[in-house]
């Protein structure tokens, strides 16, 4: 496999990592339709855990089957598939080596009485299942944030020693953040920055709105042109070590149409995002529609649409 | 490298430490423009974690890049660069051996709902990244202080066995301390003393005001001339084992001008401070201005300004 | 060194301890002016941690220097010097072998918002610093007492296995104890007994008053002659396994004059106390005065004054 | 990556292995010119260790450089590159993810006074270096064979738990085997069978001669047509669990010409061999010649020559 | 410290190592008179262990004192000082940070009844003593070689994880090597190559003679011009991963005069050696003579003599 210059440049950002972690980064970056471009589209399927199975899969019943998601990610030419332990176990042998997998190591659920996450997988699980990466969610701003940071620290140290990639979902929430605050520009940028400081190789955040949430941050954004998603995304990338970390964005909270979603992706692309993590917007549609939509997203990241 | 008499004298204070820790103290004390003088200026960059990236770096956008800070510390001839895990990882290979690094092992953030810190790095991380020291923040007076002391104890024992230096940021705060109390003379002195008793090799506190906060302490300060910063600093040094520990001071909370900052540094120097830890006041200025300002600070500690 | 019959008799009380712990008891009991008498005077210096440096050392500024206390204990011919980690580290090499040291493994402070203690040292620290003993404070009656007992248990198990002596400061306090209760006869006796049951080799309590605090205990003390300190102390010794444990007493909370302090010591001696732990009353006086006073205290324990 | 039916069939043989090991098998089987065919050609470079550097590399001096071999394996479109620790370390970051690597965990050398091997790498090394497999040599028949089997057992258990592939070089030798015996049909078949029984995923043996070495085995081979290499290879495959294990063959001890070597490969291919491991015959030729020869070998395994 | 381009290039060879190991390589390469040139001169003092104290130090009695050697290495401007545990312990605090030290972790001695080495230090010792590297001797060709390789493997894995440099003394000897064989060109080259394959960062071998020892190797050296030391050294460097590893050479077995020694060094320099490790030839001379000789050696490596 001829690793492209673009991918080699990205590897250079991870200068303190061992060759094992670098090789797994390459596996992810050299897979799928976007192989070698330095851009990524990843399929995450943890909504069954987070919101319950029917809310997640009833709109498209084949998606109740774990193999459906492996297959979807492969057919769409995505870079990786991320899911909690059980779903990875349910398909890891059938699809061994067919697509890089990311083992989500913690999960929340709609029945939980606290807004925390439970650790539901381990680095050893990731190795035995052949995963290229481990995933971990943090909730900056929540009552559990500091404890989550400490859990992530321990997991990341172990994962890096074993040559795995560390992907951090950084979702601000908590008593001091209202709904608008959770996707505010300053908060998304802060969430990306904290994940980077915690040692994440790949960071996932939500596309930022133009809102500024922290009163103390307002002055810093005076004069900042937040009028377009691209400009806001560019700022988030800047906050991820001036672009030295891979940052992926979700498709947005609730997107009514494919066209709107593609508009978001165009904004992400122009802003210099590393790519997208898109879950519900794909697997809740019929497969043919999902594949078509993903092909158009990939085309955008290739600069062709 | 000819270790100076001044540095040898300082090493003598650390009589119970192993040669590994002493060698790392020497690395820090024999680096940069102040090499051999026994004085130190250290660049800390954890404000992105503590306050958010834009508040920290928007005033000087090149500072979004981790390499900028390594470069700034090297060009300015500082003694060391301190930062959390991710930022050290982002430059540790490129700048291997070029400047001693201090891995901050705990961090707070502006989104946190508790005033605690999370542990975000380990002694093993410090060794694999080639750091000379680990850093740890305690909040004497807070609800988390005792737990932080216990975390520090465990980390310091491990770090000292591995030949690393332990740097403690001692920042009093908590329900019984108002804003004035946090920098009160008795509180700063107490903060330095507790850090020393906890086994810190290098202590960072804020420059003390003339205020006395603890009613029970007032009698002890009757007749004490707290009229100048130099006299107050001299007292803090006295409380750090009669000067047997390295104590560094921040540049002050909010300093409007370079001249005011240099006045503070002059007070620190006359009072016998070991040096300064200056973050925002440096990296929030254009690099040329920052280098000029740091050169003047260094000149003060050399007794030349 | 010829170990005296008196010391051999004391060792006999510690019949389940290993020879390592016995040898360290001998080191303490065969040091200083009271060597071989079975009596002890120990210098504790943790007031800087507990109350702050200025309140502790401003009355006698040379005491800011850790070496001062090592020197004072040696010159006065005391049996041991007790202090938290940092202060022992600051002098352990210079005074290696010159006087037995006791590493205080937990500490409180005047800024703390809880009345708990933090663990600030380890058995490994005590070994690497050449200490003869570890010290630990418990607050029977406080909200933290049971947790402290458990911490003590773990530390004592480790310390005894390593041949160290365990010294317990047993200071009753808590929501059900008023100021008078803290030094009540039944409470002091109870505090000594619990420390003995927790496995302490050496116990420190405060000199008891004639007050009986626990209603349930009153009946037991009916007819008890508590009219003199000696009689009350004898009862405390009785409660320490009928004198089979070394029990040391403080000099009293606030003692206005040397003569009053010496009167207390005379009462302790007549009552059969094993000796005194005297901190502030010594190091807050000019050194010559302190040495003179300590010489007179030692003379009392020798039965010469 | 679309994993082919042929590769899926092979994975089916490894039914007890975890998905991690299966994924690494896929990585190896889906790499290079033979990707998806179920056939493999692997470049091993441990001859510098086994025979000395000049004997190995003087015929083609660029081969002294470790990067040369990574590059050669990539350019030739091979499935994997196998080498001891130091050579993998020398290129693992530059070629991260570019080709599957096999860390040889034991090595012999021409200076050794025993015919044993030394363990020179670990499973942890393989993980940190991003290897897909570990390699291990056994000498069935030697005085060290049983100990080597036990070493292999321990390494294989650890490697499989971590999702790595185990490659075993099975080279019979020892006091009861003369030179002809080492490549005798019964011995090669036995060597492959023992490696399979020891849990190897991939087995390397030498192409068998028609000789039968063990007197006790002669009866079993009565009537066996060993007249062609293809028939002998088919028997070795049969002995590797009836073809349920991947078995690779060397190019033969000393091969005078490319044509002779290609004849051997044709025999291997017709006999159903999984492929070839070819070291000296490639890197001791000028690169262009080696690439040409490897292209022809690959063409044979593709059934095109 | 401005790390030179030459040193950065050397760091590039160690692409799989963590920043800790890279930083310690920089410490060694940026110390002394040769700082930044990429060349090294190292003082080893283990001859007292190997041959006995009088044979080692009687020619220059001040050399009985461990501090003499630290001082000599510092005054001469060497890059590092290597010695076994006790000698490093005897000076590590006095010379903390003054010169990089290499803790020799195994040693032989003239009283030994086997020609093996004993492990006499640990990676933890190296950390507590502030060493930049660990050193280990292997005897390729001896009965103990394979066991030594395995010991080295375990130590190197631990040392690299802790950010230390691994220096391997590779001294062929054993029943099949006569005296001439021990320094034969093919044997020295093989010794360097095996050390590189075992994961050494820095390799020490003896200057090779023109002799070829292994009959099997003779063909490989046919036509090789071994007429000058420079050409032979260039071949050894080639065998150390085509110059991708630092290789140091001893001063030669028995060198009668300074001029002869300098001639050897000139040959090493012209041949592209990374530098010299010179023990007896320095510390067995009066200090002034040794300093003068070392200055001339350094001048050669600077290309000035």
């Amino acid at each position: 496999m001829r690793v492209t210059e673009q991918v080699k440049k990205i590897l250079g950002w991870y200068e303190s990592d061992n060759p094992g972690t670098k090789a797994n980064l390459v596996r992810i970056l050299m897979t799928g339709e976007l192989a070698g471009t330095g851009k990524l589209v990843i399929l995450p399927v943890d909504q069954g855990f987070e919101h319950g199975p029917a809310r997640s899969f009833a709109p498209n019943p084949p998606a109740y089957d774990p193999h459906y998601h492996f297959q979807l990610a492969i057919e769409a030419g995505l870079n990786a598939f991320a899911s909690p332990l059980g779903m990875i176990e349910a398909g890891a042998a059938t699809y061994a080596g067919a697509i890089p997998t990311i083992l989500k190591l913690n999960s929340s659920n709609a029945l939980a009485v606290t807004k925390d996450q439970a650790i539901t997988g381990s680095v050893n699980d990731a190795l035995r299942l052949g995963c290229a990466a481990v995933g971990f969610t943090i909730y900056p701003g929540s009552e559990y944030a500091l404890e989550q940071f400490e859990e992530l620290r321990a997991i990341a140290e172990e994962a890096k020693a074993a040559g795995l990639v560390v992907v951090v979902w950084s979702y601000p929430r908590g008593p001091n953040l209202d709904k608008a605050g959770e996707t505010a520009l300053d908060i998304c940028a802060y969430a990306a920055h904290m994940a980077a400081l915690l040692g994440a190789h790949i960071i996932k955040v939500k596309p930022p709105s133009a809102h500024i949430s922290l009163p103390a941050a307002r002055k810093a954004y005076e004069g900042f042109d937040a009028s377009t998603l691209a400009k806001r995304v560019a700022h988030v990338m800047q906050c991820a070590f001036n672009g030295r970390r891979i940052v992926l964005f979700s498709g947005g909270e609730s997107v009514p149409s494919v066209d709107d979603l593609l508009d978001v992706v165009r904004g992400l692309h122009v802003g210099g995002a590393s790519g997208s993590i898109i879950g519900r917007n794909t697997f809740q549609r019929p497969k043919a529609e999902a594949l078509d939509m993903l092909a158009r997203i990939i085309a955008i990241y290739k600069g062709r649409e």
Side-chain angles (χ1 to χ4, degrees), chain A residues 120-176:
Chain A
T120 59
S122 71
V123 169
N124 282 340
D125 287 328
L127 290 174
R128 75 173 167 89
L129 294 169
C131 302
V134 295
F136 197 88
T137 298
I138 55 174
Y139 294 151
S142 90
E143 305 87 328
Y144 311 100
L146 302 191
E147 192 184 343
Q148 289 174 338
F149 291 2
E150 297 187 351
E151 291 165 348
L152 170 57
R153 187 213 71 68
I155 282 171
E157 181 176 343
E158 189 184 354
K160 289 173 183 177
L164 297 174
V165 169
V166 177
V167 186
V168 173
W169 276 246
S170 192
Y171 287 167
R173 61 183 62 176
N176 300 325

Side-chain angles (χ1 to χ4, degrees), chain A residues 265-281:
Chain A
V265 173
R266 274 183 208 102
L268 296 172
H269 179 59
V270 173
S274 308
S276 290
I277 289 194
I278 304 189
R280 274 168 294 178
N281 273 303

Side-chain angles (χ1 to χ4, degrees), chain A residues 43-65:
Chain A
L43 175 67
V45 186
D46 56 354
Q47 293 79 358
F49 216 138
E50 305 284 326
H51 308 136
R55 280 171 68 195
S56 302
F57 306 129
N60 178 34
Y64 281 107
D65 189 329

Side-chain angles (χ1 to χ4, degrees), chain A residues 96-303:
Chain A
I99 186 163
T101 53
I102 300 167
L103 185 64
K104 269 298 304 292
L105 294 192
N106 64 347
S107 295
S108 182
N109 67 83
L111 301 182
V113 294
T114 61
K115 294 269 186 181
D116 198 7
Q117 294 240 341
I119 295 181
T120 59
S122 71
V123 169
N124 282 340
D125 287 328
L127 290 174
R128 75 173 167 89
L129 294 169
C131 302
V134 295
F136 197 88
T137 298
I138 55 174
Y139 294 151
S142 90
E143 305 87 328
Y144 311 100
L146 302 191
E147 192 184 343
Q148 289 174 338
F149 291 2
E150 297 187 351
E151 291 165 348
L152 170 57
R153 187 213 71 68
I155 282 171
E157 181 176 343
E158 189 184 354
K160 289 173 183 177
L164 297 174
V165 169
V166 177
V167 186
V168 173
W169 276 246
S170 192
Y171 287 167
R173 61 183 62 176
N176 300 325
L177 286 174
D178 56 14
K179 208 66 196 166
E182 292 182 359
T183 55
L185 175 58
D186 60 326
I187 300 299
C188 286
Y190 201 166
H193 188 65
M194 280 196 276
L197 286 171
L198 289 165
H201 299 113
I202 298 177
I203 297 160
K204 162 143 186 236
V205 292
K206 293 180 182 163
S209 71
H211 181 56
I212 303 294
S213 173
L214 276 183
R218 275 181 206 146
K219 200 177 154 213
Y221 286 94
E222 271 172 21
F224 181 87
D225 178 2
S227 60
T228 66
L229 178 57
K231 285 173 179 170
R232 301 191 298 265
V233 163
H235 174 61
V236 172
M237 297 308 295
Q238 189 180 41
C239 292
F241 292 173
N242 211 29
R244 289 177 180 273
R245 289 293 173 266
I246 294 169
V247 184
L248 307 177
F249 293 80
S250 57
E253 283 296 280
S254 61
V255 174
S257 73
V258 170
D259 284 345
D260 287 356
L261 178 63
L262 294 177
D263 274 351
V264 168
V265 173
R266 274 183 208 102
L268 296 172
H269 179 59
V270 173
S274 308
S276 290
I277 289 194
I278 304 189
R280 274 168 294 178
N281 273 303
T282 57
F283 64 72
Q284 291 187 347
R285 299 175 196 277
K287 195 173 179 185
E289 280 184 34
L291 289 174
D292 182 62
M293 186 188 75
L294 286 166
R296 296 184 65 189
I297 290 172
I298 287 168
I300 292 170
Y301 281 117
K302 282 181 166 169

